Amino acid sequence: MSMFRCQGDRYVATFAVDEVRVLRKVASEVVGLLTDGFDHGDPVVGRLFPEVYPDDATGSAEFRRYTEGDLKTAKIDQAGAILAALPDGEAGGEVRLDAEAAEAWLRALNDARLAMGVRLEIKDGTDLGEELDDAVAEDPTSSRVFQLSVYAYLGYLQESLLNALID
């Protein structure tokens, strides 16, 4: 069953307390990465802001000079849309998104997954189920198991929201 569902002109999902905590942490970390931790040498930043002209450093730098600020602001605002829509405090609850907020959530979830994918070294051909099984077999209490689980959850959430938007 999908988490998000369409109700009139809204996209609605109910989140448990732990889900709210995870989403709040993930969105906050994306904002932190794009503000205090913004470093072009970081592979995550490189993934979120890829070189437009990989064979032309000057052209890429010029393009970045004109576009990066707006793109960074948009990514921060999208992560902020998740934070703004989540239930307040330490409670679970319902999230109701209009079409614009739903699209911002999709983009923010995508950014979070890209960032986590780089940190977790997930490639295009990675079998996430196998990767998670291996991590559990190695140490079921490891941070990698938790991070892979969050990565999978964000993918599920993204797919659920996308399906609600399409229906």
PDB file of all heavy atoms in Angstrom, residues 32-62:
ATOM      1  N   GLY A  32      22.223  21.754   5.908  1.00  0.00           N
ATOM      2  CA  GLY A  32      23.565  21.974   6.447  1.00  0.00           C
ATOM      3  C   GLY A  32      24.652  21.784   5.406  1.00  0.00           C
ATOM      4  O   GLY A  32      25.610  22.554   5.340  1.00  0.00           O
ATOM      5  N   LEU A  33      24.495  20.764   4.581  1.00  0.00           N
ATOM      6  CA  LEU A  33      25.453  20.498   3.517  1.00  0.00           C
ATOM      7  C   LEU A  33      25.517  21.668   2.534  1.00  0.00           C
ATOM      8  O   LEU A  33      26.583  22.032   2.049  1.00  0.00           O
ATOM      9  CB  LEU A  33      25.077  19.217   2.774  1.00  0.00           C
ATOM     10  CG  LEU A  33      25.913  18.872   1.546  1.00  0.00           C
ATOM     11  CD1 LEU A  33      27.285  18.387   1.976  1.00  0.00           C
ATOM     12  CD2 LEU A  33      25.215  17.815   0.718  1.00  0.00           C
ATOM     13  N   LEU A  34      24.374  22.267   2.263  1.00  0.00           N
ATOM     14  CA  LEU A  34      24.294  23.345   1.272  1.00  0.00           C
ATOM     15  C   LEU A  34      24.616  24.716   1.848  1.00  0.00           C
ATOM     16  O   LEU A  34      24.749  25.682   1.102  1.00  0.00           O
ATOM     17  CB  LEU A  34      22.901  23.363   0.638  1.00  0.00           C
ATOM     18  CG  LEU A  34      22.540  22.103  -0.142  1.00  0.00           C
ATOM     19  CD1 LEU A  34      21.081  22.142  -0.578  1.00  0.00           C
ATOM     20  CD2 LEU A  34      23.455  21.913  -1.325  1.00  0.00           C
ATOM     21  N   THR A  35      24.746  24.801   3.151  1.00  0.00           N
ATOM     22  CA  THR A  35      25.072  26.090   3.769  1.00  0.00           C
ATOM     23  C   THR A  35      26.445  25.982   4.423  1.00  0.00           C
ATOM     24  O   THR A  35      27.458  26.211   3.770  1.00  0.00           O
ATOM     25  CB  THR A  35      23.982  26.511   4.782  1.00  0.00           C
ATOM     26  OG1 THR A  35      23.771  25.473   5.735  1.00  0.00           O
ATOM     27  CG2 THR A  35      22.670  26.829   4.075  1.00  0.00           C
ATOM     28  N   ASP A  36      26.492  25.577   5.671  1.00  0.00           N
ATOM     29  CA  ASP A  36      27.748  25.532   6.428  1.00  0.00           C
ATOM     30  C   ASP A  36      28.769  24.579   5.834  1.00  0.00           C
ATOM     31  O   ASP A  36      29.962  24.843   5.866  1.00  0.00           O
ATOM     32  CB  ASP A  36      27.482  25.106   7.878  1.00  0.00           C
ATOM     33  CG  ASP A  36      26.481  26.018   8.568  1.00  0.00           C
ATOM     34  OD1 ASP A  36      26.405  27.194   8.178  1.00  0.00           O
ATOM     35  OD2 ASP A  36      25.784  25.549   9.480  1.00  0.00           O
ATOM     36  N   GLY A  37      28.310  23.449   5.310  1.00  0.00           N
ATOM     37  CA  GLY A  37      29.234  22.435   4.833  1.00  0.00           C
ATOM     38  C   GLY A  37      29.499  22.474   3.343  1.00  0.00           C
ATOM     39  O   GLY A  37      30.062  21.535   2.791  1.00  0.00           O
ATOM     40  N   PHE A  38      29.109  23.551   2.671  1.00  0.00           N
ATOM     41  CA  PHE A  38      29.236  23.608   1.220  1.00  0.00           C
ATOM     42  C   PHE A  38      30.701  23.667   0.810  1.00  0.00           C
ATOM     43  O   PHE A  38      31.411  24.617   1.126  1.00  0.00           O
ATOM     44  CB  PHE A  38      28.477  24.810   0.663  1.00  0.00           C
ATOM     45  CG  PHE A  38      28.246  24.717  -0.817  1.00  0.00           C
ATOM     46  CD1 PHE A  38      27.272  23.877  -1.321  1.00  0.00           C
ATOM     47  CD2 PHE A  38      29.000  25.453  -1.699  1.00  0.00           C
ATOM     48  CE1 PHE A  38      27.044  23.785  -2.688  1.00  0.00           C
ATOM     49  CE2 PHE A  38      28.784  25.371  -3.071  1.00  0.00           C
ATOM     50  CZ  PHE A  38      27.810  24.537  -3.556  1.00  0.00           C
ATOM     51  N   ASP A  39      31.141  22.628   0.115  1.00  0.00           N
ATOM     52  CA  ASP A  39      32.539  22.505  -0.281  1.00  0.00           C
ATOM     53  C   ASP A  39      32.586  21.799  -1.637  1.00  0.00           C
ATOM     54  O   ASP A  39      32.178  20.641  -1.746  1.00  0.00           O
ATOM     55  CB  ASP A  39      33.287  21.694   0.779  1.00  0.00           C
ATOM     56  CG  ASP A  39      34.709  21.340   0.379  1.00  0.00           C
ATOM     57  OD1 ASP A  39      35.232  21.886  -0.621  1.00  0.00           O
ATOM     58  OD2 ASP A  39      35.304  20.497   1.077  1.00  0.00           O
ATOM     59  N   HIS A  40      33.079  22.482  -2.643  1.00  0.00           N
ATOM     60  CA  HIS A  40      33.144  21.890  -3.989  1.00  0.00           C
ATOM     61  C   HIS A  40      34.031  20.649  -4.045  1.00  0.00           C
ATOM     62  O   HIS A  40      33.905  19.850  -4.960  1.00  0.00           O
ATOM     63  CB  HIS A  40      33.604  22.919  -5.019  1.00  0.00           C
ATOM     64  CG  HIS A  40      32.535  23.870  -5.416  1.00  0.00           C
ATOM     65  ND1 HIS A  40      31.509  23.514  -6.254  1.00  0.00           N
ATOM     66  CD2 HIS A  40      32.313  25.153  -5.071  1.00  0.00           C
ATOM     67  CE1 HIS A  40      30.699  24.535  -6.413  1.00  0.00           C
ATOM     68  NE2 HIS A  40      31.159  25.546  -5.698  1.00  0.00           N
ATOM     69  N   GLY A  41      34.891  20.450  -3.056  1.00  0.00           N
ATOM     70  CA  GLY A  41      35.723  19.259  -3.019  1.00  0.00           C
ATOM     71  C   GLY A  41      34.993  18.035  -2.478  1.00  0.00           C
ATOM     72  O   GLY A  41      35.471  16.916  -2.609  1.00  0.00           O
ATOM     73  N   ASP A  42      33.828  18.251  -1.885  1.00  0.00           N
ATOM     74  CA  ASP A  42      33.029  17.153  -1.337  1.00  0.00           C
ATOM     75  C   ASP A  42      32.335  16.432  -2.490  1.00  0.00           C
ATOM     76  O   ASP A  42      31.645  17.062  -3.296  1.00  0.00           O
ATOM     77  CB  ASP A  42      31.993  17.725  -0.364  1.00  0.00           C
ATOM     78  CG  ASP A  42      31.151  16.664   0.329  1.00  0.00           C
ATOM     79  OD1 ASP A  42      31.053  15.525  -0.167  1.00  0.00           O
ATOM     80  OD2 ASP A  42      30.562  17.000   1.370  1.00  0.00           O
ATOM     81  N   PRO A  43      32.493  15.111  -2.604  1.00  0.00           N
ATOM     82  CA  PRO A  43      31.860  14.371  -3.698  1.00  0.00           C
ATOM     83  C   PRO A  43      30.334  14.493  -3.715  1.00  0.00           C
ATOM     84  O   PRO A  43      29.717  14.436  -4.773  1.00  0.00           O
ATOM     85  CB  PRO A  43      32.270  12.916  -3.466  1.00  0.00           C
ATOM     86  CG  PRO A  43      33.324  12.927  -2.439  1.00  0.00           C
ATOM     87  CD  PRO A  43      33.317  14.259  -1.760  1.00  0.00           C
ATOM     88  N   VAL A  44      29.726  14.704  -2.540  1.00  0.00           N
ATOM     89  CA  VAL A  44      28.264  14.887  -2.502  1.00  0.00           C
ATOM     90  C   VAL A  44      27.894  16.197  -3.186  1.00  0.00           C
ATOM     91  O   VAL A  44      26.950  16.245  -3.980  1.00  0.00           O
ATOM     92  CB  VAL A  44      27.729  14.842  -1.051  1.00  0.00           C
ATOM     93  CG1 VAL A  44      26.259  15.234  -1.004  1.00  0.00           C
ATOM     94  CG2 VAL A  44      27.930  13.454  -0.463  1.00  0.00           C
ATOM     95  N   VAL A  45      28.618  17.257  -2.884  1.00  0.00           N
ATOM     96  CA  VAL A  45      28.361  18.539  -3.550  1.00  0.00           C
ATOM     97  C   VAL A  45      28.578  18.382  -5.053  1.00  0.00           C
ATOM     98  O   VAL A  45      27.785  18.878  -5.857  1.00  0.00           O
ATOM     99  CB  VAL A  45      29.244  19.661  -2.957  1.00  0.00           C
ATOM    100  CG1 VAL A  45      29.134  20.940  -3.781  1.00  0.00           C
ATOM    101  CG2 VAL A  45      28.852  19.926  -1.508  1.00  0.00           C
ATOM    102  N   GLY A  46      29.602  17.644  -5.429  1.00  0.00           N
ATOM    103  CA  GLY A  46      29.843  17.380  -6.844  1.00  0.00           C
ATOM    104  C   GLY A  46      28.689  16.644  -7.506  1.00  0.00           C
ATOM    105  O   GLY A  46      28.382  16.884  -8.669  1.00  0.00           O
ATOM    106  N   ARG A  47      28.042  15.760  -6.774  1.00  0.00           N
ATOM    107  CA  ARG A  47      26.902  15.005  -7.313  1.00  0.00           C
ATOM    108  C   ARG A  47      25.661  15.884  -7.419  1.00  0.00           C
ATOM    109  O   ARG A  47      24.888  15.787  -8.364  1.00  0.00           O
ATOM    110  CB  ARG A  47      26.611  13.782  -6.418  1.00  0.00           C
ATOM    111  CG  ARG A  47      25.500  12.904  -6.896  1.00  0.00           C
ATOM    112  CD  ARG A  47      25.921  12.174  -8.187  1.00  0.00           C
ATOM    113  NE  ARG A  47      24.914  11.217  -8.569  1.00  0.00           N
ATOM    114  CZ  ARG A  47      24.078  11.395  -9.595  1.00  0.00           C
ATOM    115  NH1 ARG A  47      24.167  12.465 -10.354  1.00  0.00           N
ATOM    116  NH2 ARG A  47      23.181  10.484  -9.875  1.00  0.00           N
ATOM    117  N   LEU A  48      25.467  16.759  -6.437  1.00  0.00           N
ATOM    118  CA  LEU A  48      24.298  17.645  -6.449  1.00  0.00           C
ATOM    119  C   LEU A  48      24.470  18.813  -7.423  1.00  0.00           C
ATOM    120  O   LEU A  48      23.490  19.372  -7.899  1.00  0.00           O
ATOM    121  CB  LEU A  48      24.013  18.184  -5.049  1.00  0.00           C
ATOM    122  CG  LEU A  48      23.580  17.159  -4.010  1.00  0.00           C
ATOM    123  CD1 LEU A  48      23.447  17.804  -2.636  1.00  0.00           C
ATOM    124  CD2 LEU A  48      22.279  16.483  -4.417  1.00  0.00           C
ATOM    125  N   PHE A  49      25.720  19.173  -7.691  1.00  0.00           N
ATOM    126  CA  PHE A  49      26.041  20.272  -8.608  1.00  0.00           C
ATOM    127  C   PHE A  49      27.085  19.786  -9.610  1.00  0.00           C
ATOM    128  O   PHE A  49      28.246  20.203  -9.569  1.00  0.00           O
ATOM    129  CB  PHE A  49      26.593  21.480  -7.832  1.00  0.00           C
ATOM    130  CG  PHE A  49      25.628  22.068  -6.848  1.00  0.00           C
ATOM    131  CD1 PHE A  49      25.551  21.587  -5.555  1.00  0.00           C
ATOM    132  CD2 PHE A  49      24.786  23.101  -7.224  1.00  0.00           C
ATOM    133  CE1 PHE A  49      24.658  22.119  -4.635  1.00  0.00           C
ATOM    134  CE2 PHE A  49      23.887  23.646  -6.320  1.00  0.00           C
ATOM    135  CZ  PHE A  49      23.821  23.155  -5.026  1.00  0.00           C
ATOM    136  N   PRO A  50      26.696  18.891 -10.502  1.00  0.00           N
ATOM    137  CA  PRO A  50      27.684  18.320 -11.426  1.00  0.00           C
ATOM    138  C   PRO A  50      28.235  19.369 -12.395  1.00  0.00           C
ATOM    139  O   PRO A  50      27.585  20.380 -12.686  1.00  0.00           O
ATOM    140  CB  PRO A  50      26.883  17.249 -12.179  1.00  0.00           C
ATOM    141  CG  PRO A  50      25.461  17.657 -12.043  1.00  0.00           C
ATOM    142  CD  PRO A  50      25.350  18.410 -10.751  1.00  0.00           C
ATOM    143  N   GLU A  51      29.433  19.106 -12.865  1.00  0.00           N
ATOM    144  CA  GLU A  51      30.056  19.978 -13.860  1.00  0.00           C
ATOM    145  C   GLU A  51      29.230  19.925 -15.139  1.00  0.00           C
ATOM    146  O   GLU A  51      28.949  18.847 -15.659  1.00  0.00           O
ATOM    147  CB  GLU A  51      31.492  19.527 -14.150  1.00  0.00           C
ATOM    148  CG  GLU A  51      32.437  19.691 -12.985  1.00  0.00           C
ATOM    149  CD  GLU A  51      32.665  21.148 -12.608  1.00  0.00           C
ATOM    150  OE1 GLU A  51      32.647  22.036 -13.487  1.00  0.00           O
ATOM    151  OE2 GLU A  51      32.867  21.388 -11.402  1.00  0.00           O
ATOM    152  N   VAL A  52      28.840  21.073 -15.621  1.00  0.00           N
ATOM    153  CA  VAL A  52      28.034  21.141 -16.842  1.00  0.00           C
ATOM    154  C   VAL A  52      28.891  20.845 -18.066  1.00  0.00           C
ATOM    155  O   VAL A  52      28.442  20.189 -19.005  1.00  0.00           O
ATOM    156  CB  VAL A  52      27.365  22.523 -16.964  1.00  0.00           C
ATOM    157  CG1 VAL A  52      26.591  22.650 -18.260  1.00  0.00           C
ATOM    158  CG2 VAL A  52      26.447  22.757 -15.776  1.00  0.00           C
ATOM    159  N   TYR A  53      30.126  21.316 -18.028  1.00  0.00           N
ATOM    160  CA  TYR A  53      31.062  21.096 -19.126  1.00  0.00           C
ATOM    161  C   TYR A  53      32.299  20.381 -18.570  1.00  0.00           C
ATOM    162  O   TYR A  53      33.309  21.021 -18.259  1.00  0.00           O
ATOM    163  CB  TYR A  53      31.470  22.425 -19.760  1.00  0.00           C
ATOM    164  CG  TYR A  53      30.308  23.293 -20.182  1.00  0.00           C
ATOM    165  CD1 TYR A  53      30.041  24.496 -19.522  1.00  0.00           C
ATOM    166  CD2 TYR A  53      29.468  22.911 -21.224  1.00  0.00           C
ATOM    167  CE1 TYR A  53      28.966  25.295 -19.900  1.00  0.00           C
ATOM    168  CE2 TYR A  53      28.394  23.696 -21.600  1.00  0.00           C
ATOM    169  CZ  TYR A  53      28.155  24.892 -20.933  1.00  0.00           C
ATOM    170  OH  TYR A  53      27.094  25.674 -21.300  1.00  0.00           O
ATOM    171  N   PRO A  54      32.245  19.074 -18.429  1.00  0.00           N
ATOM    172  CA  PRO A  54      33.347  18.347 -17.782  1.00  0.00           C
ATOM    173  C   PRO A  54      34.708  18.543 -18.454  1.00  0.00           C
ATOM    174  O   PRO A  54      35.738  18.452 -17.794  1.00  0.00           O
ATOM    175  CB  PRO A  54      32.930  16.884 -17.851  1.00  0.00           C
ATOM    176  CG  PRO A  54      31.524  16.853 -18.298  1.00  0.00           C
ATOM    177  CD  PRO A  54      31.180  18.193 -18.857  1.00  0.00           C
ATOM    178  N   ASP A  55      34.701  18.844 -19.738  1.00  0.00           N
ATOM    179  CA  ASP A  55      35.969  19.010 -20.456  1.00  0.00           C
ATOM    180  C   ASP A  55      36.380  20.478 -20.592  1.00  0.00           C
ATOM    181  O   ASP A  55      37.350  20.783 -21.279  1.00  0.00           O
ATOM    182  CB  ASP A  55      35.873  18.371 -21.849  1.00  0.00           C
ATOM    183  CG  ASP A  55      35.617  16.880 -21.771  1.00  0.00           C
ATOM    184  OD1 ASP A  55      36.091  16.255 -20.797  1.00  0.00           O
ATOM    185  OD2 ASP A  55      34.948  16.343 -22.664  1.00  0.00           O
ATOM    186  N   ASP A  56      35.640  21.369 -19.942  1.00  0.00           N
ATOM    187  CA  ASP A  56      35.913  22.801 -20.050  1.00  0.00           C
ATOM    188  C   ASP A  56      35.775  23.437 -18.666  1.00  0.00           C
ATOM    189  O   ASP A  56      34.701  23.897 -18.287  1.00  0.00           O
ATOM    190  CB  ASP A  56      34.940  23.437 -21.045  1.00  0.00           C
ATOM    191  CG  ASP A  56      35.141  24.935 -21.218  1.00  0.00           C
ATOM    192  OD1 ASP A  56      36.079  25.498 -20.620  1.00  0.00           O
ATOM    193  OD2 ASP A  56      34.323  25.539 -21.937  1.00  0.00           O
ATOM    194  N   ALA A  57      36.873  23.453 -17.909  1.00  0.00           N
ATOM    195  CA  ALA A  57      36.848  23.978 -16.537  1.00  0.00           C
ATOM    196  C   ALA A  57      36.435  25.446 -16.504  1.00  0.00           C
ATOM    197  O   ALA A  57      35.672  25.867 -15.637  1.00  0.00           O
ATOM    198  CB  ALA A  57      38.215  23.798 -15.884  1.00  0.00           C
ATOM    199  N   THR A  58      36.884  26.227 -17.470  1.00  0.00           N
ATOM    200  CA  THR A  58      36.542  27.642 -17.504  1.00  0.00           C
ATOM    201  C   THR A  58      35.056  27.834 -17.773  1.00  0.00           C
ATOM    202  O   THR A  58      34.390  28.626 -17.097  1.00  0.00           O
ATOM    203  CB  THR A  58      37.365  28.376 -18.592  1.00  0.00           C
ATOM    204  OG1 THR A  58      38.752  28.164 -18.318  1.00  0.00           O
ATOM    205  CG2 THR A  58      37.064  29.857 -18.599  1.00  0.00           C
ATOM    206  N   GLY A  59      34.536  27.105 -18.744  1.00  0.00           N
ATOM    207  CA  GLY A  59      33.112  27.187 -19.056  1.00  0.00           C
ATOM    208  C   GLY A  59      32.254  26.726 -17.889  1.00  0.00           C
ATOM    209  O   GLY A  59      31.217  27.345 -17.586  1.00  0.00           O
ATOM    210  N   SER A  60      32.667  25.660 -17.225  1.00  0.00           N
ATOM    211  CA  SER A  60      31.933  25.161 -16.051  1.00  0.00           C
ATOM    212  C   SER A  60      31.941  26.193 -14.932  1.00  0.00           C
ATOM    213  O   SER A  60      30.917  26.429 -14.281  1.00  0.00           O
ATOM    214  CB  SER A  60      32.527  23.858 -15.553  1.00  0.00           C
ATOM    215  OG  SER A  60      32.111  22.788 -16.351  1.00  0.00           O
ATOM    216  N   ALA A  61      33.095  26.804 -14.692  1.00  0.00           N
ATOM    217  CA  ALA A  61      33.195  27.813 -13.632  1.00  0.00           C
ATOM    218  C   ALA A  61      32.306  29.014 -13.942  1.00  0.00           C
ATOM    219  O   ALA A  61      31.639  29.547 -13.054  1.00  0.00           O
ATOM    220  CB  ALA A  61      34.645  28.250 -13.453  1.00  0.00           C
ATOM    221  N   GLU A  62      32.287  29.415 -15.193  1.00  0.00           N
ATOM    222  CA  GLU A  62      31.444  30.548 -15.602  1.00  0.00           C
ATOM    223  C   GLU A  62      29.966  30.210 -15.436  1.00  0.00           C
ATOM    224  O   GLU A  62      29.186  31.012 -14.913  1.00  0.00           O
ATOM    225  CB  GLU A  62      31.760  30.907 -17.062  1.00  0.00           C
ATOM    226  CG  GLU A  62      31.110  32.170 -17.540  1.00  0.00           C
ATOM    227  CD  GLU A  62      31.724  33.432 -16.945  1.00  0.00           C
ATOM    228  OE1 GLU A  62      32.750  33.363 -16.248  1.00  0.00           O
ATOM    229  OE2 GLU A  62      31.141  34.499 -17.168  1.00  0.00           O
TER     230      GLU A  62
END
